């Protein structure tokens, strides 16, 4: 009898092991095979300059041969892409001959919107730069010129582009482009797609912070960086976010560069990072679609980018062959976006497994009303970022010009983990409870990301004796605790630089903010706000088992 029981127990154990193994295999297969409706777009975009005055060794021949090598490696792996020409390179016969010879079905030629001396002078404007190309915001970019001057500059470039290639450019990109210029390019020349720099603070004089994180958006007619909320207020040109930002480290290190750019040895030039990035990009869940831009400007030279591109290009080609990514030109992606979205969609970028031994997991959610970032680290959850969008807030350069070597584009901050914190101690809303009278961070397992419909991202986060069910909706954030009705949970906001906060009032049902002379609110449709006695800046408490925050500024 005892032997029979042992055999039965052994059989049951083996069955459980087989079942568990099958379950784990299914989970791995689900992660390695994203749903077919999740579109993952890769644009290979290379920007071309004629000159590099910052380094005497980078002569014109070096810059030209860099582009030749970029073309060769893309052809080697049969990868389509986009080459964007600064005006002085546009007028150079070598680039004209090289790019005109490329198959039009695979390669797109467009405009890189940095403004060198020949373009400015041909538009009848005095050149103020130290070199024939000056990289400072007030000289080499449209924000340094009046709206009337911008139109003259655009007319010259587009006319000469058409003389050379027989058509107007469909894609125009730059680190920063003002709203007036984008409006004029669309209204007169019908551009299809644009792109601007990733979110960063101060790098090379450009600050873009708080916008639609990654992917693409329709900008407001009065603000090239601000997503519009209504079709009648938007410019119908999708603006893609450049450079392939690391969804965890680029935000935490907002003043540095952790991107897909192949010249950076810790990121886009590093085999381990590249493999991790494309794994999470192509396999982790995404709402709507996911997007990244590969490629590099020729100023960095082929020697610096060769290693990174030789790692990246075969990986991209393999992912395309596996059906996990779509490799397109920028205008093709712009056309797809316009065909599928009448207004800016809700999208996500998720990470279920971080690089190396890190246990961090994250989700970036964007809609046309706001963006939010949730970060899990060491078993706890922190909301690191919330920014609201308002189409009526103009950018600083709609009618004015920058007179310094810097430019600034912002949205409306509610939570800012980078700017209001410091290295090693970021700001954020930490999910906590009050168990036995002791306030402490809630600990849990791994979050599970799923999509509900076309605009809601759902997160299920298991904790002891229950789970937090979080819905990121187009206009709201809903947090519910299931399974622990007696628990006392809340979100506490801490900041190392609280004096920088634009927060003016903490009331029971809403909080008031004023940023850049614009007043706005964060409203609790369910739940409440208070100023706690523990030194936190503010506390958000649920009502019953749920908290609902309205994420609109209108």
């Amino acid at each position: 009898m005892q032997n029979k029981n042992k055999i039965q127990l052994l059989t049951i154990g083996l069955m459980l092991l087989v079942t568990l193994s099958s379950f784990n295999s299914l989970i791995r297969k689900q992660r390695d095979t994203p749903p077919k409706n999740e579109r993952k777009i890769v644009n290979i975009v290379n920007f071309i300059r004629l000159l590099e005055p910052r380094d005497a060794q980078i002569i014109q021949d070096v810059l030209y041969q860099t582009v030749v090598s970029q073309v060769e490696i893309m052809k080697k792996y049969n990868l389509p892409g986009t080459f964007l020409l600064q005006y002085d390179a546009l007028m150079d016969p070598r680039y004209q001959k090289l790019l005109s010879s490329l198959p039009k079905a695979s390669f797109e030629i467009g405009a890189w919107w940095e403004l060198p001396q020949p373009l400015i002078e041909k538009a009848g404007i005095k050149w103020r730069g130290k070199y024939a190309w000056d990289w400072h915001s007030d000289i080499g970019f449209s924000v340094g010129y009046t709206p009337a001057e911008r139109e003259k500059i655009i007319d010259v470039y587009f006319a000469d582009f058409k003389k050379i290639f027989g058509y107007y450019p469909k894609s125009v990109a730059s680190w920063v482009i003002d709203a007036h210029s984008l409006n004029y390019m669309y209204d007169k020349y019908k551009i299809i797609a644009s792109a601007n720099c990733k979110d960063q603070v101060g790098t090379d004089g450009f600050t873009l912070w708080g916008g639609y994180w990654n992917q693409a958006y329709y900008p407001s007619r009065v603000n090239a960086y601000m997503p519009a909320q209504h079709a009648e207020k938007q410019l119908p040109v999708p603006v893609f976010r450049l450079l392939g930002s690391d969804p965890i480290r680029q935000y935490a290190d907002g003043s540095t560069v952790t991107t897909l750019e192949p010249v950076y040895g810790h990121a886009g030039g590093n085999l381990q990072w590249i493999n991790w990035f494309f794994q999470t990009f192509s396999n982790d869940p995404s709402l709507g679609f996911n997007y990244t831009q590969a490629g590099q400007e020729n100023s960095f030279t082929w020697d610096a980018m060769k290693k990174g591109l030789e790692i990246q290009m075969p990986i991209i080609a393999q992912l395309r062959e596996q059906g996990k990514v779509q490799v397109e030109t920028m205008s093709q992606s712009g056309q797809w976006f316009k065909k599928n979205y009448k207004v800016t969609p809700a999208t996500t970028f998720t990470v279920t497994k971080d690089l190396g031994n890190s246990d961090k997991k994250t989700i970036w959610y964007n809609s046309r009303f706001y963006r939010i970032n949730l970060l899990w680290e060491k078993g706890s959850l922190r909301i690191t970022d919330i920014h609201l969008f308002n189409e009526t807030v103009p950018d600083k350069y709609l009618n004015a010009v920058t007179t310094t070597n810097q430019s600034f584009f912002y949205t409306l901050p509610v939570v800012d983990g980078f700017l209001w914190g410091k290295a090693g101690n970021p700001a954020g809303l930490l999910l906590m409870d009050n168990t036995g009278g002791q306030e402490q961070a809630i600990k849990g397992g791994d979050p599970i990301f799923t999509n509900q419909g076309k605009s809601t991202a759902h997160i299920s986060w298991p904790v002891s004796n229950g789970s937090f069910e979080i819905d990121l909706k187009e206009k709201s954030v809903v947090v519910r605790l299931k399974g622990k009705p007696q628990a006392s949970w809340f979100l506490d906001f801490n900041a190392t630089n609280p004096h920088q906060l634009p927060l003016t009032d903490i009331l029971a049902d809403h909080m008031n903010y004023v940023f850049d002379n614009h007043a706005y609110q964060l409203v609790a449709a369910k739940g409440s706000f208070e100023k706690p006695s523990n030194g936190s800046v503010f506390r958000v408490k649920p009502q019953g088992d749920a908290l609902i925050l309205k994420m609109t500024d209108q």
Side-chain angles (χ1 to χ4, degrees):
M1 188 69 178
Q2 287 181 342
N3 288 337
K4 184 177 180 180
N5 288 340
K6 287 180 180 179
I7 292 171
Q8 287 177 335
L9 288 172
L10 183 60
T11 302
I12 292 170
L14 287 171
M15 289 174 66
L16 286 172
L17 285 173
V18 170
T19 302
L20 182 60
S21 177
S22 299
F23 177 75
N24 288 334
S25 296
L26 178 62
I27 293 298
R28 285 194 298 271
K29 184 177 180 181
Q30 286 177 339
R31 187 172 190 269
D32 293 340
T33 309
K36 291 183 179 180
N37 63 345
E38 291 186 9
R39 187 176 178 86
K40 316 278 186 162
I41 299 173
V42 178
N43 285 167
I44 301 172
V45 184
N46 298 301
F47 330 129
I48 303 175
R49 301 185 180 113
L50 180 70
L51 306 170
E52 181 44 82
R54 293 170 292 187
D55 188 336
Q57 295 184 12
I58 304 178
I59 60 176
Q60 292 186 32
D61 284 346
V62 171
L63 295 172
Y64 175 75
Q65 289 303 323
T66 296
V67 179
V68 170
S69 297
Q70 289 173 329
V71 169
E72 288 175 350
I73 197 169
M74 292 168 71
K75 284 185 172 180
K76 177 180 179 180
Y77 293 101
N78 194 28
L79 291 169
T82 300
F83 285 92
L84 302 178
L85 287 159
Q86 191 171 287
Y87 181 79
D88 48 9
L90 169 69
M91 303 307 291
D92 185 278
R94 289 191 300 178
Y95 288 111
Q96 294 173 12
K97 182 179 179 180
L98 173 66
L99 299 179
S100 295
S101 69
L102 298 178
K104 290 182 173 55
S106 301
F107 290 93
E108 174 192 10
I109 308 166
W112 181 244
W113 209 243
E114 293 178 347
L115 313 178
Q117 184 174 359
L119 174 59
I120 298 302
E121 291 183 340
K122 191 168 183 179
I125 303 166
K126 183 180 179 181
W127 178 247
R128 296 177 276 109
K130 186 176 181 181
Y131 307 99
W133 169 60
D134 193 314
W135 53 92
H136 295 107
S137 291
D138 56 331
I139 298 169
F141 293 84
S142 62
V143 293
Y145 298 86
T146 67
E149 290 174 331
R150 296 169 202 171
E151 293 180 10
K152 293 178 182 178
I153 295 167
I154 292 167
D155 286 340
V156 169
Y157 185 102
F158 276 66
D160 284 343
F161 188 100
K162 187 174 184 181
K163 287 178 185 176
I164 294 164
F165 295 111
Y167 56 89
Y168 293 126
K170 298 179 177 67
S171 297
V172 182
S174 183
W175 304 134
V176 294
I177 306 180
D178 66 284
H180 185 90
S181 293
L182 275 185
N183 281 310
Y184 190 74
M185 290 176 185
Y186 172 74
D187 291 336
K188 186 170 183 178
Y189 297 104
K190 302 304 176 186
I191 64 170
I192 292 173
S194 185
N196 60 18
C197 189
K198 64 173 172 40
D199 263 34
Q200 61 181 36
V201 177
T203 307
D204 296 328
F206 309 115
T207 293
L208 304 92
W209 198 250
Y212 195 99
W213 196 88
N214 208 55
Q215 276 81 305
Y217 63 95
Y218 288 123
S220 161
R221 278 277 188 174
V222 299
N223 192 327
Y225 185 61
M226 184 79 75
Q229 287 73 60
H230 303 91
E232 63 272 17
K233 297 286 188 179
Q234 73 187 14
L235 178 66
V237 175
V239 176
F240 294 89
R241 305 306 305 274
L242 294 171
L243 303 182
S245 291
D246 185 315
I248 291 177
R249 278 155 287 275
Q250 179 58 44
Y251 182 82
D253 305 329
S255 297
T256 60
V257 181
T258 309
T259 69
L260 197 57
E261 294 171 90
V263 297
Y264 294 107
H266 65 289
N270 180 281
L271 176 61
Q272 183 186 19
W273 187 94
I274 294 166
N275 280 328
W276 165 80
F277 179 86
F278 280 113
Q279 172 78 3
T280 195
F281 172 78
S282 62
N283 292 331
D284 282 342
S286 60
L287 179 68
F289 73 101
N290 210 349
Y291 173 84
T292 196
Q293 177 253 317
Q296 189 80 66
E297 65 262 45
N298 62 339
S299 294
F300 279 103
T301 77
W302 181 247
D303 287 344
M305 68 182 74
K306 178 177 184 287
K307 176 185 174 182
L309 290 181
E310 288 180 342
I311 297 170
Q312 291 182 26
M313 294 298 110
I315 291 175
I316 294 171
Q318 183 181 36
L319 290 172
R320 180 194 57 188
E321 295 308 310
Q322 293 171 348
K324 292 185 175 182
V325 303
Q326 292 75 40
V327 186
E328 303 172 337
T329 66
M330 186 180 290
S331 66
Q332 287 172 340
S333 297
Q335 289 171 329
W336 172 85
F337 189 96
K338 294 184 71 170
K339 180 180 178 181
N340 285 272
Y341 302 114
K342 301 305 179 187
V343 293
T344 297
T347 65
T348 61
F349 195 136
T350 65
V351 176
T352 61
K353 175 66 175 70
D354 194 15
L355 182 66
N357 295 323
S358 169
D359 71 339
K360 293 179 180 178
K361 297 164 183 64
T362 197
I363 180 170
W364 280 97
Y365 176 92
N366 307 279
S367 80
R368 64 188 192 272
F369 297 95
Y370 73 104
R371 81 175 192 184
I372 187 171
N373 177 240
L374 281 65
L375 179 70
W376 286 262
E377 182 180 11
K378 297 178 180 177
S380 62
L381 167 60
R382 185 174 75 250
I383 298 175
T384 69
D385 185 275
I386 300 174
H387 280 74
L388 303 182
F389 304 147
N390 187 317
E391 64 197 5
T392 68
V393 178
D395 69 46
K396 294 176 180 292
Y397 314 106
L398 181 65
N399 299 306
V401 302
T402 181
T403 56
T404 72
N405 62 1
Q406 294 183 310
S407 56
F408 302 90
F409 290 83
Y410 294 106
T411 59
L412 305 176
V414 172
V415 171
D416 197 315
F418 176 72
L419 290 180
W420 301 343
K422 64 180 181 182
N425 190 15
L429 278 165
L430 184 64
L431 188 57
M432 305 178 67
D433 68 5
N434 188 352
T435 303
Q438 182 178 359
E439 295 180 353
Q440 57 189 357
I442 296 173
K443 300 289 185 177
D446 293 339
I448 300 170
F449 305 119
T450 55
N451 300 330
Q452 294 184 349
K454 294 183 178 181
S455 60
T456 299
H458 180 76
I459 305 125
S460 183
W461 183 42
V463 296
S464 60
N465 302 321
S467 67
F468 280 93
E469 305 297 322
I470 304 170
D471 285 317
L472 307 178
K473 298 174 175 286
E474 200 170 33
K475 296 183 180 181
S476 65
V477 171
V478 181
V479 184
R480 286 189 171 89
L481 176 59
K482 290 189 175 181
K484 282 182 71 176
Q486 303 302 317
S488 176
W489 60 275
F490 53 89
L491 289 158
D492 258 10
F493 180 75
N494 293 282
T496 57
N497 299 314
H499 62 281
Q500 295 182 355
L501 271 63
L503 181 62
T504 59
D505 294 295
I506 301 174
L507 304 174
D509 63 343
H510 71 277
M511 295 193 298
N512 293 323
Y513 293 80
V514 177
F515 179 79
D516 220 8
N517 298 316
H518 182 80
Y520 53 104
Q521 296 180 334
L522 179 65
V523 176
K526 188 173 185 179
S528 61
F529 303 100
E530 64 179 42
K531 172 67 177 174
S533 58
N534 65 354
S536 297
V537 178
F538 63 84
R539 176 171 293 178
V540 191
K541 298 175 68 175
Q543 181 182 337
D545 66 345
L547 170 68
I548 302 176
L549 298 177
K550 292 176 62 178
M551 293 295 181
T552 63
D553 185 40
Q554 293 159 59

